[in-house]
Amino acid sequence: MPKHAAYGPLRTAVAAAVLGAVAVTSCTDLNESPPSRITPSTFFQNDAQIQAALAGVYNGLRSSEPNGGGYWEISQVSSDETIVPTRGTDWDDGGQWRELWTRSFGPASGAGTQNINGAYSSISSQIAKANAVIDALGTSKSAAAQSGTAEARALRAWFYYTLQDAFGGVPIITKTGVSGVPRATRDSTIRFILSELYAVRNTLPTSYSGGYGRITQGAVDAILANLYLNYHVFTGTPAANGITFNTTTRYDSVLAVTSRIMNSGQYTLAPDFATFRANFTAGNSASKENIFVVRNSTTSGLGLNYVQQIAHYNHFGNPGGWNGFSVLSEQLNQYDPADQRRTLVLTGQQYQFDNPTVAVKTRAGAPLILGDIQSLTAAAEGDGYRAYKYPLDPNHNAQDNGNDYVIFRLSGVMLDRAEALYKTGDQGSALTILNQLRSRAGAPSVTGAITDSVMLRERLLELLNEGKRRQDLIRLGGWMTQKRFQANPTPPYTMLFPIPLTQLQANPALTQNPGYTQ
């Protein structure tokens, strides 16, 4: 039986049927044969049925992970952490990856019509699914409806969080069947997200019996901590010359929420590098450090394909790697040689993931030696180091791996706290946290004063490829630094992505972000 089997077929079969049942209520064909007997008023009557409906909303969390519809890709590749060079005809894809790296994207460009539009569409679709379930649960008489509604609202708040992170203020839609809604201001969007999270937090449990992967009070708090850390960015004023940050910060709220998480008794920092590594393996459902994850399965279509995206074609068989996402020396060299986290970035002669005594060869039969990238448009097979954070699942089903993707974990919360401490003048306590994380990886302690650049580096070392880098660069002042292969300086308005042309055409009430041509 595949990992998380109850959460795999359930997500596709039952959840799809239930979400379809929600749509049935709007059907006007009264001669349907046989008439549907599954409606919100007849189906959502017990906990099992409600959890079946919620499974479809949880499945939408895949929009937040590497193979989930664009959000991770646009966040990572537009940062300096993940580069996708073109290798012959591989990874050309209309130039979308190069545009993301060079930040030359627009509403109708290759990236704008593909990855960026994919992210907007995917996240919007997840919000619509959550709305459908929330509406349906409003008619239920089950005692479980209140907690189910709280889960769906918390998940919807997370989807809104990722949508505004990428695009700024967005239409706030909380009911099904609504269209043509204009954008709310970004400040209003943030206030909506905060109100939703606080409205449901205390209804959610601290944990579930046998319900790993469901949203909890701790997961809500982790979202809150991340939001408060970026509050002055999110509530700033976007313009063609970039975002003018709000002078009001919420570091006090970061400290309060992170303290609540760390003192909850629900999460434990992995004590050494071996257990740190286990946060990302196919068995990471047992992790005590992970707070909020996307559950994956070896069931076809429900697995994590991160390892395929970073691996060379011959790193393993069935179906093998796709030789895409890579790391430059600028990032690799920020690790101290003694830092064991550095070993998660593959360099030099490669060996098969599923048979580590066998050396990997290129397609031409030469030894595969991973080195730095020499060209963005004509990279060789072995160009680019690889961040092997989510290792191959031994029981993978083609590209479907059972590793759960981590959205938030305790060490990230601790880094949020360290930054808030540093920003409020408590250098000593901030250093203690940074050095605790460095110590478990075997890295020497940080000495001297913490600065934005120090904090930015420590977050890179700990959170490499965890989808946080774009936020960090914008907040800590690294976004405007010109990257290798980037011929022109970064346009400051790219701190927000463009509203894709497809979305503007579909909803004339939308307006474009400053700096982009409509």
Side-chain angles (χ1 to χ4, degrees):
M1 180 175 288
K3 180 173 178 281
H4 303 324
Y7 214 75
L10 179 68
R11 288 190 295 187
T12 50
V14 179
V18 172
L19 288 174
V22 175
V24 165
T25 61
S26 64
C27 179
T28 57
D29 182 3
L30 302 181
N31 296 316
E32 179 189 16
S33 180
S36 174
R37 298 178 184 274
I38 301 177
T39 68
S41 62
T42 62
F43 187 81
F44 299 93
Q45 299 304 310
N46 57 54
D47 185 65
Q49 292 172 344
I50 289 171
Q51 288 310 309
L54 284 171
V57 186
Y58 276 105
N59 193 36
L61 288 175
R62 290 169 63 79
S63 65
S64 304
E65 67 179 2
N67 50 298
Y71 174 72
W72 186 92
E73 286 92 339
I74 64 176
S75 299
Q76 280 295 121
V77 183
S78 64
S79 78
D80 60 1
E81 258 188 11
T82 305
I83 184 171
V84 188
T86 302
R87 308 178 194 274
T89 58
D90 292 346
W91 294 95
D92 180 72
D93 297 335
Q96 61 181 318
W97 305 106
R98 295 191 296 275
E99 288 181 8
L100 285 171
W101 178 258
T102 58
R103 300 170 185 160
S104 56
F105 41 76
S109 71
T113 57
Q114 295 182 76
N115 295 65
I116 297 172
N117 185 59
Y120 195 104
S121 297
S122 177
I123 302 169
S124 298
S125 174
Q126 310 320 318
I127 291 170
K129 288 179 184 178
N131 284 339
V133 171
I134 292 167
D135 278 359
L137 289 177
T139 68
S140 173
K141 297 178 181 179
S142 169
Q146 182 181 11
S147 60
T149 299
E151 283 185 75
R153 287 176 69 182
L155 291 169
R156 183 179 65 184
W158 168 249
F159 297 138
Y160 268 114
Y161 180 80
T162 58
L163 194 64
Q164 71 77 31
D165 177 50
F167 299 101
V170 295
I172 304 297
I173 301 172
T174 60
K175 295 291 182 181
T176 57
V178 177
S179 61
V181 178
R183 300 176 67 179
T185 64
R186 199 176 194 189
D187 179 71
S188 296
T189 305
I190 290 299
R191 283 189 277 114
F192 168 76
I193 294 167
L194 285 171
S195 68
E196 286 292 286
L197 292 174
Y198 279 113
V200 303
R201 181 192 179 276
N202 291 339
T203 303
L204 297 168
T206 56
S207 63
Y208 296 87
S209 176
Y212 169 79
R214 292 168 66 182
I215 197 161
T216 60
Q217 289 184 10
V220 166
D221 284 343
I223 300 170
L224 287 170
N226 196 240
L227 186 154
Y228 284 134
L229 189 67
N230 292 280
Y231 181 85
H232 55 297
V233 180
F234 293 160
T235 59
T237 304
N241 61 350
I243 298 173
T244 301
F245 295 170
N246 194 336
T247 56
T248 300
T249 58
R250 295 296 298 271
Y251 297 127
D252 56 339
S253 298
V254 176
L255 295 175
V257 175
T258 55
S259 178
R260 193 161 63 199
I261 295 171
M262 294 167 68
N263 294 324
S264 68
Q266 297 296 314
Y267 312 103
T268 305
L269 190 70
D272 52 35
F273 183 70
T275 46
F276 165 89
R277 190 75 182 101
N279 291 325
F280 309 99
T281 63
N284 61 343
S285 58
S287 168
K288 298 299 183 183
E289 183 171 324
N290 294 342
I291 298 173
F292 187 29
V293 303
V294 183
R295 293 182 68 167
N296 286 298
S297 168
T298 54
T299 303
S300 179
L302 294 177
L304 184 70
N305 64 30
Y306 172 94
V307 67
Q308 272 78 15
Q309 295 181 10
I310 65 103
H312 181 268
Y313 314 108
N314 297 329
H315 260 129
F316 61 96
N318 186 29
W322 300 336
N323 210 29
F325 297 169
S326 302
V327 175
L328 290 172
S329 59
E330 288 91 326
Q331 283 64 53
L332 176 65
N333 293 338
Q334 293 193 52
Y335 287 91
D336 186 272
D339 193 333
Q340 291 176 284
R341 294 171 298 187
R342 192 181 193 276
T343 64
L344 302 184
V345 182
L346 303 179
T347 66
Q349 174 63 57
Q350 294 301 291
Y351 296 86
Q352 291 181 3
F353 293 163
D354 46 0
N355 193 353
T357 63
V358 178
V360 178
K361 296 182 179 180
T362 66
R363 285 172 162 173
L368 176 65
I369 300 174
L370 296 183
D372 211 2
I373 294 175
Q374 304 303 314
S375 170
L376 180 62
T377 57
E381 281 184 39
D383 282 3
Y385 308 113
R386 312 300 165 86
Y388 192 40
K389 199 142 200 182
Y390 291 89
L392 182 71
D393 181 352
N395 298 313
H396 70 100
N397 176 17
Q399 69 266 29
D400 291 294
N401 292 261
N403 317 50
D404 294 332
Y405 176 74
V406 182
I407 297 176
F408 292 112
R409 56 191 177 92
L410 184 59
S411 69
V413 168
M414 292 170 65
L415 284 169
D416 291 352
R417 182 173 183 80
E419 186 173 331
L421 288 166
Y422 144 63
K423 289 292 188 178
T424 53
D426 191 346
Q427 287 265 344
S429 298
L431 272 172
T432 296
I433 293 175
L434 297 188
N435 287 330
Q436 182 181 1
L437 298 179
R438 290 178 67 85
S439 176
R440 73 166 174 176
S445 296
V446 174
T447 58
I450 298 177
T451 63
D452 283 358
S453 61
V454 169
M455 185 60 64
L456 195 57
R457 182 191 68 212
E458 293 305 313
R459 291 184 68 88
L460 168 73
L461 303 181
E462 179 67 19
L463 304 175
L464 181 72
N465 266 26
E466 294 186 41
K468 306 295 190 293
R469 184 65 171 177
R470 174 180 159 273
Q471 275 189 359
D472 295 346
L473 288 171
I474 293 170
R475 186 181 68 255
L476 293 169
W479 185 257
M480 297 305 297
T481 301
Q482 196 163 341
K483 300 186 287 185
R484 201 199 313 179
F485 307 124
Q486 191 180 5
N488 299 310
T490 294
Y493 54 80
T494 58
M495 291 180 185
L496 289 175
F497 291 105
I499 306 298
L501 180 61
T502 303
Q503 305 302 325
L504 294 169
Q505 292 171 336
N507 180 5
L510 291 178
T511 56
Q512 185 56 268
N513 279 324
Y516 297 101
T517 56
Q518 193 94 340

